[in-house]
Amino acid sequence: TLVFSLASCHSTDLTNTPDQQLDQGFEAVKKGDYKTALKLWRPLADQGDARAQYNLGLMYRNENDIQNNVEAAKWFRKAAENGDVKAQHNLGMMYTKGDGVEQDYAEAVKWYRKAADKEYAMAQFNLGLMYRDGEGVKQNRTVAKEWFGKACDNGDKKGCLYYKKLK
């Protein structure tokens, strides 16, 4: 599941503070006004704000009016390189599926691992799948089970299920 990163400021006037610009972008998205959200988030993203970069990635990934997986991957990469754990996970998913980037399981593993090492349960689960299936890494069911266990410990129900099923 892709989730927008929300700042906790509420204002109706256009302002220049990053938190307020992010919040105004969310309000615009709720109304289906993606052009306004882009106008608010793009300057922040260009200045290196990982939250804005991640949210641009989500917009380009999910919104039919502007959907563009190449752009989504570009913004997820910028946010991922700036340490955004959700962007790291989403970029890993894009490499796994070949959406907006050339399919590359080793690159997917790299990004999943960055997020998994920060205790991001969905990335831990996906890293477990990569080890279970031998995609991008040497197949290792023991390591797969460890990652499924970590995902389970961090609240991922599928991680718990796969942990129990893997012998």
Side-chain angles (χ1 to χ4, degrees):
T1 305
L2 301 175
V3 180
F4 282 97
S5 177
L6 182 59
S8 62
C9 289
H10 297 284
S11 173
T12 54
D13 300 326
L14 290 179
T15 63
N16 290 333
T17 68
D19 285 348
Q20 288 172 325
Q21 277 183 256
L22 283 166
D23 196 44
Q24 290 161 6
F26 294 118
E27 293 303 316
V29 166
K30 284 181 193 172
K31 297 174 188 168
D33 184 359
Y34 306 115
K35 284 185 180 180
T36 297
L38 284 171
K39 281 184 203 172
L40 289 162
W41 289 342
R42 182 67 189 257
L44 295 174
D46 287 339
Q47 293 168 18
D49 187 304
R51 301 168 301 175
Q53 292 167 337
Y54 171 74
N55 290 330
L56 284 178
L58 283 181
M59 282 183 51
Y60 282 115
R61 181 92 169 117
N62 296 326
E63 303 308 331
N64 291 332
D65 294 345
I66 62 165
Q67 187 172 18
N68 180 330
N69 284 338
V70 173
E71 277 294 300
K74 175 182 103 173
W75 288 109
F76 283 148
R77 176 177 302 285
K78 288 176 184 274
E81 289 170 348
N82 283 323
D84 187 288
V85 68
K86 292 178 198 162
Q88 291 167 345
H89 175 254
N90 288 350
L91 189 57
M93 289 192 326
M94 294 186 86
Y95 275 109
T96 298
K97 296 175 183 176
D99 288 343
V101 293
E102 190 75 31
Q103 187 177 44
D104 184 336
Y105 292 136
E107 192 70 9
V109 166
K110 169 186 155 182
W111 291 108
Y112 287 146
R113 186 178 313 281
K114 286 180 183 284
D117 286 344
K118 295 177 185 168
E119 305 299 316
Y120 194 67
M122 286 189 284
Q124 291 171 327
F125 174 78
N126 284 334
L127 193 53
L129 290 177
M130 301 303 271
Y131 275 100
R132 183 197 69 181
D133 299 339
E135 294 178 333
V137 291
K138 186 175 193 238
Q139 187 175 33
N140 186 325
R141 296 173 71 79
T142 302
V143 174
K145 188 167 183 165
E146 289 172 15
W147 282 113
F148 291 144
K150 289 179 182 185
C152 180
D153 290 345
N154 285 310
D156 189 292
K157 289 182 180 16
K158 287 191 299 186
C160 298
L161 180 68
Y162 279 61
Y163 180 83
K164 289 174 188 168
K165 286 184 3 182
L166 201 59
K167 305 262 185 231

PDB file of all heavy atoms in Angstrom, residues 22-50:
ATOM      1  N   LEU A  22       3.476  21.400   2.269  1.00  0.00           N
ATOM      2  CA  LEU A  22       3.131  19.980   2.205  1.00  0.00           C
ATOM      3  C   LEU A  22       1.661  19.775   2.550  1.00  0.00           C
ATOM      4  O   LEU A  22       0.938  19.075   1.841  1.00  0.00           O
ATOM      5  CB  LEU A  22       4.014  19.171   3.161  1.00  0.00           C
ATOM      6  CG  LEU A  22       5.426  18.901   2.680  1.00  0.00           C
ATOM      7  CD1 LEU A  22       6.294  18.409   3.833  1.00  0.00           C
ATOM      8  CD2 LEU A  22       5.426  17.894   1.554  1.00  0.00           C
ATOM      9  N   ASP A  23       1.227  20.399   3.621  1.00  0.00           N
ATOM     10  CA  ASP A  23      -0.159  20.246   4.056  1.00  0.00           C
ATOM     11  C   ASP A  23      -1.137  20.768   2.997  1.00  0.00           C
ATOM     12  O   ASP A  23      -2.147  20.137   2.707  1.00  0.00           O
ATOM     13  CB  ASP A  23      -0.371  20.980   5.385  1.00  0.00           C
ATOM     14  CG  ASP A  23      -1.648  20.546   6.061  1.00  0.00           C
ATOM     15  OD1 ASP A  23      -1.912  19.330   6.102  1.00  0.00           O
ATOM     16  OD2 ASP A  23      -2.385  21.427   6.538  1.00  0.00           O
ATOM     17  N   GLN A  24      -0.818  21.908   2.398  1.00  0.00           N
ATOM     18  CA  GLN A  24      -1.682  22.454   1.346  1.00  0.00           C
ATOM     19  C   GLN A  24      -1.729  21.523   0.139  1.00  0.00           C
ATOM     20  O   GLN A  24      -2.769  21.377  -0.505  1.00  0.00           O
ATOM     21  CB  GLN A  24      -1.198  23.846   0.947  1.00  0.00           C
ATOM     22  CG  GLN A  24      -1.434  24.866   2.038  1.00  0.00           C
ATOM     23  CD  GLN A  24      -0.577  26.104   1.878  1.00  0.00           C
ATOM     24  OE1 GLN A  24       0.121  26.263   0.879  1.00  0.00           O
ATOM     25  NE2 GLN A  24      -0.605  26.968   2.865  1.00  0.00           N
ATOM     26  N   GLY A  25      -0.605  20.868  -0.138  1.00  0.00           N
ATOM     27  CA  GLY A  25      -0.576  19.884  -1.217  1.00  0.00           C
ATOM     28  C   GLY A  25      -1.517  18.725  -0.940  1.00  0.00           C
ATOM     29  O   GLY A  25      -2.221  18.254  -1.834  1.00  0.00           O
ATOM     30  N   PHE A  26      -1.549  18.269   0.325  1.00  0.00           N
ATOM     31  CA  PHE A  26      -2.466  17.187   0.687  1.00  0.00           C
ATOM     32  C   PHE A  26      -3.916  17.608   0.516  1.00  0.00           C
ATOM     33  O   PHE A  26      -4.746  16.829   0.045  1.00  0.00           O
ATOM     34  CB  PHE A  26      -2.232  16.724   2.128  1.00  0.00           C
ATOM     35  CG  PHE A  26      -0.903  16.075   2.325  1.00  0.00           C
ATOM     36  CD1 PHE A  26       0.020  16.612   3.190  1.00  0.00           C
ATOM     37  CD2 PHE A  26      -0.561  14.937   1.624  1.00  0.00           C
ATOM     38  CE1 PHE A  26       1.253  16.025   3.365  1.00  0.00           C
ATOM     39  CE2 PHE A  26       0.670  14.343   1.790  1.00  0.00           C
ATOM     40  CZ  PHE A  26       1.585  14.894   2.659  1.00  0.00           C
ATOM     41  N   GLU A  27      -4.207  18.839   0.930  1.00  0.00           N
ATOM     42  CA  GLU A  27      -5.578  19.348   0.758  1.00  0.00           C
ATOM     43  C   GLU A  27      -5.947  19.373  -0.724  1.00  0.00           C
ATOM     44  O   GLU A  27      -7.058  19.015  -1.103  1.00  0.00           O
ATOM     45  CB  GLU A  27      -5.722  20.739   1.384  1.00  0.00           C
ATOM     46  CG  GLU A  27      -5.587  20.750   2.908  1.00  0.00           C
ATOM     47  CD  GLU A  27      -6.578  19.832   3.603  1.00  0.00           C
ATOM     48  OE1 GLU A  27      -7.765  19.827   3.231  1.00  0.00           O
ATOM     49  OE2 GLU A  27      -6.159  19.113   4.528  1.00  0.00           O
ATOM     50  N   ALA A  28      -5.013  19.783  -1.569  1.00  0.00           N
ATOM     51  CA  ALA A  28      -5.265  19.823  -3.014  1.00  0.00           C
ATOM     52  C   ALA A  28      -5.503  18.410  -3.556  1.00  0.00           C
ATOM     53  O   ALA A  28      -6.418  18.190  -4.351  1.00  0.00           O
ATOM     54  CB  ALA A  28      -4.095  20.499  -3.731  1.00  0.00           C
ATOM     55  N   VAL A  29      -4.691  17.447  -3.115  1.00  0.00           N
ATOM     56  CA  VAL A  29      -4.846  16.063  -3.572  1.00  0.00           C
ATOM     57  C   VAL A  29      -6.224  15.533  -3.179  1.00  0.00           C
ATOM     58  O   VAL A  29      -6.894  14.872  -3.972  1.00  0.00           O
ATOM     59  CB  VAL A  29      -3.721  15.163  -3.013  1.00  0.00           C
ATOM     60  CG1 VAL A  29      -4.049  13.688  -3.196  1.00  0.00           C
ATOM     61  CG2 VAL A  29      -2.394  15.495  -3.675  1.00  0.00           C
ATOM     62  N   LYS A  30      -6.664  15.831  -1.941  1.00  0.00           N
ATOM     63  CA  LYS A  30      -7.982  15.374  -1.489  1.00  0.00           C
ATOM     64  C   LYS A  30      -9.092  15.871  -2.410  1.00  0.00           C
ATOM     65  O   LYS A  30     -10.102  15.204  -2.587  1.00  0.00           O
ATOM     66  CB  LYS A  30      -8.263  15.868  -0.066  1.00  0.00           C
ATOM     67  CG  LYS A  30      -7.524  15.123   1.008  1.00  0.00           C
ATOM     68  CD  LYS A  30      -7.910  15.693   2.376  1.00  0.00           C
ATOM     69  CE  LYS A  30      -6.992  15.209   3.462  1.00  0.00           C
ATOM     70  NZ  LYS A  30      -7.246  15.907   4.733  1.00  0.00           N
ATOM     71  N   LYS A  31      -8.880  17.064  -2.983  1.00  0.00           N
ATOM     72  CA  LYS A  31      -9.878  17.655  -3.883  1.00  0.00           C
ATOM     73  C   LYS A  31      -9.658  17.231  -5.334  1.00  0.00           C
ATOM     74  O   LYS A  31     -10.388  17.662  -6.210  1.00  0.00           O
ATOM     75  CB  LYS A  31      -9.811  19.187  -3.797  1.00  0.00           C
ATOM     76  CG  LYS A  31     -10.163  19.734  -2.434  1.00  0.00           C
ATOM     77  CD  LYS A  31      -9.930  21.233  -2.387  1.00  0.00           C
ATOM     78  CE  LYS A  31     -10.085  21.750  -0.965  1.00  0.00           C
ATOM     79  NZ  LYS A  31      -9.605  23.127  -0.839  1.00  0.00           N
ATOM     80  N   GLY A  32      -8.637  16.436  -5.577  1.00  0.00           N
ATOM     81  CA  GLY A  32      -8.336  16.017  -6.941  1.00  0.00           C
ATOM     82  C   GLY A  32      -7.595  17.076  -7.741  1.00  0.00           C
ATOM     83  O   GLY A  32      -7.498  16.975  -8.964  1.00  0.00           O
ATOM     84  N   ASP A  33      -7.071  18.089  -7.070  1.00  0.00           N
ATOM     85  CA  ASP A  33      -6.362  19.193  -7.730  1.00  0.00           C
ATOM     86  C   ASP A  33      -4.860  18.909  -7.731  1.00  0.00           C
ATOM     87  O   ASP A  33      -4.098  19.461  -6.940  1.00  0.00           O
ATOM     88  CB  ASP A  33      -6.682  20.503  -7.002  1.00  0.00           C
ATOM     89  CG  ASP A  33      -6.068  21.721  -7.675  1.00  0.00           C
ATOM     90  OD1 ASP A  33      -5.371  21.561  -8.698  1.00  0.00           O
ATOM     91  OD2 ASP A  33      -6.278  22.833  -7.153  1.00  0.00           O
ATOM     92  N   TYR A  34      -4.446  18.044  -8.639  1.00  0.00           N
ATOM     93  CA  TYR A  34      -3.054  17.596  -8.678  1.00  0.00           C
ATOM     94  C   TYR A  34      -2.121  18.684  -9.183  1.00  0.00           C
ATOM     95  O   TYR A  34      -0.952  18.725  -8.782  1.00  0.00           O
ATOM     96  CB  TYR A  34      -2.932  16.328  -9.519  1.00  0.00           C
ATOM     97  CG  TYR A  34      -3.876  15.256  -9.025  1.00  0.00           C
ATOM     98  CD1 TYR A  34      -4.924  14.803  -9.816  1.00  0.00           C
ATOM     99  CD2 TYR A  34      -3.746  14.728  -7.743  1.00  0.00           C
ATOM    100  CE1 TYR A  34      -5.804  13.845  -9.343  1.00  0.00           C
ATOM    101  CE2 TYR A  34      -4.626  13.770  -7.271  1.00  0.00           C
ATOM    102  CZ  TYR A  34      -5.649  13.328  -8.074  1.00  0.00           C
ATOM    103  OH  TYR A  34      -6.526  12.402  -7.599  1.00  0.00           O
ATOM    104  N   LYS A  35      -2.621  19.564 -10.019  1.00  0.00           N
ATOM    105  CA  LYS A  35      -1.772  20.661 -10.511  1.00  0.00           C
ATOM    106  C   LYS A  35      -1.306  21.541  -9.356  1.00  0.00           C
ATOM    107  O   LYS A  35      -0.147  21.939  -9.294  1.00  0.00           O
ATOM    108  CB  LYS A  35      -2.514  21.510 -11.552  1.00  0.00           C
ATOM    109  CG  LYS A  35      -2.610  20.872 -12.907  1.00  0.00           C
ATOM    110  CD  LYS A  35      -3.248  21.813 -13.899  1.00  0.00           C
ATOM    111  CE  LYS A  35      -3.349  21.156 -15.252  1.00  0.00           C
ATOM    112  NZ  LYS A  35      -3.969  22.025 -16.247  1.00  0.00           N
ATOM    113  N   THR A  36      -2.222  21.866  -8.447  1.00  0.00           N
ATOM    114  CA  THR A  36      -1.851  22.688  -7.294  1.00  0.00           C
ATOM    115  C   THR A  36      -0.864  21.944  -6.401  1.00  0.00           C
ATOM    116  O   THR A  36       0.126  22.516  -5.944  1.00  0.00           O
ATOM    117  CB  THR A  36      -3.095  23.105  -6.492  1.00  0.00           C
ATOM    118  OG1 THR A  36      -3.924  23.924  -7.341  1.00  0.00           O
ATOM    119  CG2 THR A  36      -2.730  23.888  -5.243  1.00  0.00           C
ATOM    120  N   ALA A  37      -1.120  20.662  -6.162  1.00  0.00           N
ATOM    121  CA  ALA A  37      -0.198  19.871  -5.337  1.00  0.00           C
ATOM    122  C   ALA A  37       1.195  19.858  -5.972  1.00  0.00           C
ATOM    123  O   ALA A  37       2.200  20.034  -5.272  1.00  0.00           O
ATOM    124  CB  ALA A  37      -0.729  18.453  -5.166  1.00  0.00           C
ATOM    125  N   LEU A  38       1.255  19.680  -7.286  1.00  0.00           N
ATOM    126  CA  LEU A  38       2.552  19.695  -7.974  1.00  0.00           C
ATOM    127  C   LEU A  38       3.245  21.039  -7.802  1.00  0.00           C
ATOM    128  O   LEU A  38       4.455  21.091  -7.528  1.00  0.00           O
ATOM    129  CB  LEU A  38       2.382  19.393  -9.463  1.00  0.00           C
ATOM    130  CG  LEU A  38       2.120  17.943  -9.829  1.00  0.00           C
ATOM    131  CD1 LEU A  38       1.743  17.830 -11.307  1.00  0.00           C
ATOM    132  CD2 LEU A  38       3.318  17.077  -9.522  1.00  0.00           C
ATOM    133  N   LYS A  39       2.484  22.125  -7.939  1.00  0.00           N
ATOM    134  CA  LYS A  39       3.064  23.475  -7.786  1.00  0.00           C
ATOM    135  C   LYS A  39       3.616  23.684  -6.380  1.00  0.00           C
ATOM    136  O   LYS A  39       4.624  24.360  -6.202  1.00  0.00           O
ATOM    137  CB  LYS A  39       2.016  24.551  -8.077  1.00  0.00           C
ATOM    138  CG  LYS A  39       1.762  24.799  -9.530  1.00  0.00           C
ATOM    139  CD  LYS A  39       0.782  25.953  -9.692  1.00  0.00           C
ATOM    140  CE  LYS A  39       0.087  25.883 -11.031  1.00  0.00           C
ATOM    141  NZ  LYS A  39      -0.995  26.858 -11.142  1.00  0.00           N
ATOM    142  N   LEU A  40       2.941  23.121  -5.395  1.00  0.00           N
ATOM    143  CA  LEU A  40       3.374  23.285  -4.001  1.00  0.00           C
ATOM    144  C   LEU A  40       4.555  22.380  -3.659  1.00  0.00           C
ATOM    145  O   LEU A  40       5.467  22.792  -2.945  1.00  0.00           O
ATOM    146  CB  LEU A  40       2.208  22.989  -3.054  1.00  0.00           C
ATOM    147  CG  LEU A  40       1.095  24.037  -3.047  1.00  0.00           C
ATOM    148  CD1 LEU A  40      -0.179  23.469  -2.444  1.00  0.00           C
ATOM    149  CD2 LEU A  40       1.554  25.267  -2.282  1.00  0.00           C
ATOM    150  N   TRP A  41       4.522  21.157  -4.152  1.00  0.00           N
ATOM    151  CA  TRP A  41       5.539  20.181  -3.764  1.00  0.00           C
ATOM    152  C   TRP A  41       6.805  20.235  -4.609  1.00  0.00           C
ATOM    153  O   TRP A  41       7.884  19.924  -4.117  1.00  0.00           O
ATOM    154  CB  TRP A  41       4.960  18.775  -3.810  1.00  0.00           C
ATOM    155  CG  TRP A  41       3.965  18.508  -2.721  1.00  0.00           C
ATOM    156  CD1 TRP A  41       3.791  19.217  -1.563  1.00  0.00           C
ATOM    157  CD2 TRP A  41       3.014  17.460  -2.677  1.00  0.00           C
ATOM    158  NE1 TRP A  41       2.794  18.668  -0.812  1.00  0.00           N
ATOM    159  CE2 TRP A  41       2.284  17.575  -1.469  1.00  0.00           C
ATOM    160  CE3 TRP A  41       2.689  16.426  -3.543  1.00  0.00           C
ATOM    161  CZ2 TRP A  41       1.273  16.705  -1.106  1.00  0.00           C
ATOM    162  CZ3 TRP A  41       1.684  15.546  -3.191  1.00  0.00           C
ATOM    163  CH2 TRP A  41       0.980  15.679  -1.979  1.00  0.00           C
ATOM    164  N   ARG A  42       6.673  20.604  -5.883  1.00  0.00           N
ATOM    165  CA  ARG A  42       7.845  20.563  -6.768  1.00  0.00           C
ATOM    166  C   ARG A  42       9.003  21.433  -6.269  1.00  0.00           C
ATOM    167  O   ARG A  42      10.143  20.971  -6.254  1.00  0.00           O
ATOM    168  CB  ARG A  42       7.426  20.956  -8.194  1.00  0.00           C
ATOM    169  CG  ARG A  42       8.541  20.893  -9.208  1.00  0.00           C
ATOM    170  CD  ARG A  42       8.986  19.444  -9.409  1.00  0.00           C
ATOM    171  NE  ARG A  42      10.174  19.365 -10.216  1.00  0.00           N
ATOM    172  CZ  ARG A  42      10.171  19.015 -11.485  1.00  0.00           C
ATOM    173  NH1 ARG A  42       9.054  18.684 -12.091  1.00  0.00           N
ATOM    174  NH2 ARG A  42      11.297  18.956 -12.150  1.00  0.00           N
ATOM    175  N   PRO A  43       8.747  22.700  -5.852  1.00  0.00           N
ATOM    176  CA  PRO A  43       9.872  23.502  -5.357  1.00  0.00           C
ATOM    177  C   PRO A  43      10.548  22.873  -4.134  1.00  0.00           C
ATOM    178  O   PRO A  43      11.777  22.911  -4.017  1.00  0.00           O
ATOM    179  CB  PRO A  43       9.238  24.847  -4.992  1.00  0.00           C
ATOM    180  CG  PRO A  43       7.952  24.898  -5.741  1.00  0.00           C
ATOM    181  CD  PRO A  43       7.499  23.469  -5.884  1.00  0.00           C
ATOM    182  N   LEU A  44       9.752  22.299  -3.249  1.00  0.00           N
ATOM    183  CA  LEU A  44      10.320  21.637  -2.070  1.00  0.00           C
ATOM    184  C   LEU A  44      11.156  20.427  -2.493  1.00  0.00           C
ATOM    185  O   LEU A  44      12.262  20.207  -1.988  1.00  0.00           O
ATOM    186  CB  LEU A  44       9.221  21.190  -1.114  1.00  0.00           C
ATOM    187  CG  LEU A  44       8.393  22.277  -0.453  1.00  0.00           C
ATOM    188  CD1 LEU A  44       7.252  21.654   0.344  1.00  0.00           C
ATOM    189  CD2 LEU A  44       9.255  23.151   0.436  1.00  0.00           C
ATOM    190  N   ALA A  45      10.614  19.663  -3.420  1.00  0.00           N
ATOM    191  CA  ALA A  45      11.319  18.476  -3.903  1.00  0.00           C
ATOM    192  C   ALA A  45      12.634  18.862  -4.575  1.00  0.00           C
ATOM    193  O   ALA A  45      13.664  18.228  -4.357  1.00  0.00           O
ATOM    194  CB  ALA A  45      10.428  17.698  -4.873  1.00  0.00           C
ATOM    195  N   ASP A  46      12.596  19.922  -5.364  1.00  0.00           N
ATOM    196  CA  ASP A  46      13.814  20.394  -6.043  1.00  0.00           C
ATOM    197  C   ASP A  46      14.865  20.864  -5.045  1.00  0.00           C
ATOM    198  O   ASP A  46      16.059  20.830  -5.338  1.00  0.00           O
ATOM    199  CB  ASP A  46      13.482  21.515  -7.022  1.00  0.00           C
ATOM    200  CG  ASP A  46      12.777  21.012  -8.275  1.00  0.00           C
ATOM    201  OD1 ASP A  46      12.896  19.811  -8.589  1.00  0.00           O
ATOM    202  OD2 ASP A  46      12.110  21.831  -8.930  1.00  0.00           O
ATOM    203  N   GLN A  47      14.422  21.294  -3.861  1.00  0.00           N
ATOM    204  CA  GLN A  47      15.344  21.743  -2.811  1.00  0.00           C
ATOM    205  C   GLN A  47      15.819  20.581  -1.934  1.00  0.00           C
ATOM    206  O   GLN A  47      16.548  20.784  -0.972  1.00  0.00           O
ATOM    207  CB  GLN A  47      14.672  22.806  -1.928  1.00  0.00           C
ATOM    208  CG  GLN A  47      14.393  24.102  -2.649  1.00  0.00           C
ATOM    209  CD  GLN A  47      13.469  25.012  -1.838  1.00  0.00           C
ATOM    210  OE1 GLN A  47      13.299  24.840  -0.633  1.00  0.00           O
ATOM    211  NE2 GLN A  47      12.868  25.978  -2.507  1.00  0.00           N
ATOM    212  N   GLY A  48      15.383  19.349  -2.259  1.00  0.00           N
ATOM    213  CA  GLY A  48      15.861  18.178  -1.531  1.00  0.00           C
ATOM    214  C   GLY A  48      14.977  17.706  -0.402  1.00  0.00           C
ATOM    215  O   GLY A  48      15.398  16.862   0.399  1.00  0.00           O
ATOM    216  N   ASP A  49      13.750  18.201  -0.292  1.00  0.00           N
ATOM    217  CA  ASP A  49      12.834  17.756   0.759  1.00  0.00           C
ATOM    218  C   ASP A  49      12.340  16.352   0.419  1.00  0.00           C
ATOM    219  O   ASP A  49      11.579  16.164  -0.535  1.00  0.00           O
ATOM    220  CB  ASP A  49      11.661  18.734   0.882  1.00  0.00           C
ATOM    221  CG  ASP A  49      10.759  18.423   2.060  1.00  0.00           C
ATOM    222  OD1 ASP A  49      10.256  17.275   2.151  1.00  0.00           O
ATOM    223  OD2 ASP A  49      10.538  19.325   2.891  1.00  0.00           O
ATOM    224  N   ALA A  50      12.784  15.358   1.194  1.00  0.00           N
ATOM    225  CA  ALA A  50      12.451  13.964   0.909  1.00  0.00           C
ATOM    226  C   ALA A  50      10.954  13.702   0.987  1.00  0.00           C
ATOM    227  O   ALA A  50      10.426  12.880   0.234  1.00  0.00           O
ATOM    228  CB  ALA A  50      13.197  13.036   1.865  1.00  0.00           C
TER     229      ALA A  50
END
